[in-house]
Amino acid sequence: MDLFDDLPLEPDALRTEVAPGAVLLRGLARSHEGALLAALQGVQAQAPAHHLQTPGGYTMSVQTTSCGQLGWVSDRHGYRYSATNPSTRTPWPALPDSFATLAAEAAAQAGYPGFVPDACLVNEYAPGAKMSLHQDKDERDLRAPIVSVSLGLPCVFQFGGLQRNAPTQRLRLAHGDVLVWGGPTRLAFHGVLPLADGHHPLLGRKRVNLTFRKAG
Ligand code: SIN
Ligand code: FE2
């Protein structure tokens, strides 16, 4: 399978518009990786990631935590943003400066200047973990884009349309790649195929995704 089959432009272009309003910035986070990984460790220490329950009673294969004013939580009662971490009953760790700076830079390069996220969802994928197709639609203001940063092992990311059954393109997202979507594709369905095993020099046997949103 050639993962780049669906890409209209050369796969390694630094900036690729993969769909209207959706821009892939290859390797953008690499120059920030030292600060990002140090900050990530701080967040994980303060707010350890867990396998969340879905409202339907399933256990998610990814482990999740958050930082910023709002964190995304899921349990038997539904999906929502919360100002406190249900595991610790304390506020989420603050959004690290390195995270906020990268998110704003990526959004600006993708055509969304002035992005100030108030929520960062941290998803950790071990080999085999996946994320089924879904829309990010729990945010109050859909004018702000989604900024998604990939770290560690590469994944196959599915980027679809506004209907669940629309065709999806498959993008290989590697360490440091940043995908931004908004405007006409803000509510695009997206997901991650089961993570292939491997070893990343900085993160070992895992992939970490940081998703920045303006939720409140
Ligand atoms: C998500 O949609 O919440 C995660 C996407 C990803 O891991 O790349
Ligand atoms: Fe998502």
Side-chain angles (χ1 to χ4, degrees):
M1 176 177 58
D2 181 355
L3 299 179
F4 301 119
D5 270 355
D6 307 320
L7 268 180
L9 300 177
E10 63 204 316
D12 290 323
L14 220 50
R15 184 188 190 285
T16 307
E17 184 152 4
V18 299
V23 175
L24 174 54
L25 301 160
R26 289 240 180 250
L28 181 70
R30 275 178 179 254
S31 55
H32 304 250
E33 72 187 4
L36 292 173
L37 294 178
L40 176 64
Q41 279 191 359
V43 168
Q44 289 165 326
Q46 264 183 274
H50 296 289
H51 295 281
L52 300 182
Q53 299 289 121
T54 68
Y58 292 98
T59 301
M60 294 182 75
S61 59
V62 297
Q63 297 201 68
T64 297
T65 187
S66 286
C67 57
Q69 284 151 260
L70 294 169
W72 186 84
V73 297
S74 172
D75 59 24
R76 297 302 296 262
H77 307 291
Y79 305 112
R80 64 193 172 280
Y81 282 97
S82 167
T84 50
N85 178 353
S87 306
T88 59
R89 299 199 178 94
T90 58
W92 298 99
L95 194 69
D97 287 344
S98 57
F99 283 24
T101 303
L102 172 65
E105 184 181 331
Q109 286 197 24
Y112 303 97
F115 179 56
V116 182
D118 56 12
C120 173
L121 172 64
V122 180
N123 282 135
E124 303 179 15
Y125 295 72
K130 66 180 173 57
M131 179 80 67
S132 307
L133 274 184
H134 66 278
Q135 295 168 296
D136 291 359
K137 59 177 184 189
D138 300 324
E139 299 72 32
R140 189 168 299 160
D141 182 357
L142 296 175
R143 284 173 304 184
I146 300 288
V147 174
S148 170
V149 178
S150 292
L151 298 170
L153 288 177
C155 78
V156 181
F157 187 89
Q158 299 172 286
F159 194 77
L162 301 179
Q163 246 86 54
R164 183 180 295 279
N165 61 3
T168 59
Q169 36 176 333
R170 292 176 168 200
L171 306 170
R172 182 180 187 275
L173 298 185
H175 179 73
D177 290 348
V178 183
L179 184 64
V180 181
W181 65 94
T185 43
R186 173 62 181 74
L187 289 175
F189 277 87
H190 59 280
V192 175
L193 297 186
L195 192 77
D197 203 354
H199 181 269
H200 185 271
L202 296 174
L203 281 157
R205 281 182 85 194
K206 74 179 169 189
R207 167 176 188 260
V208 176
N209 173 256
L210 310 175
T211 305
F212 296 93
R213 295 128 178 221
K214 178 148 177 32

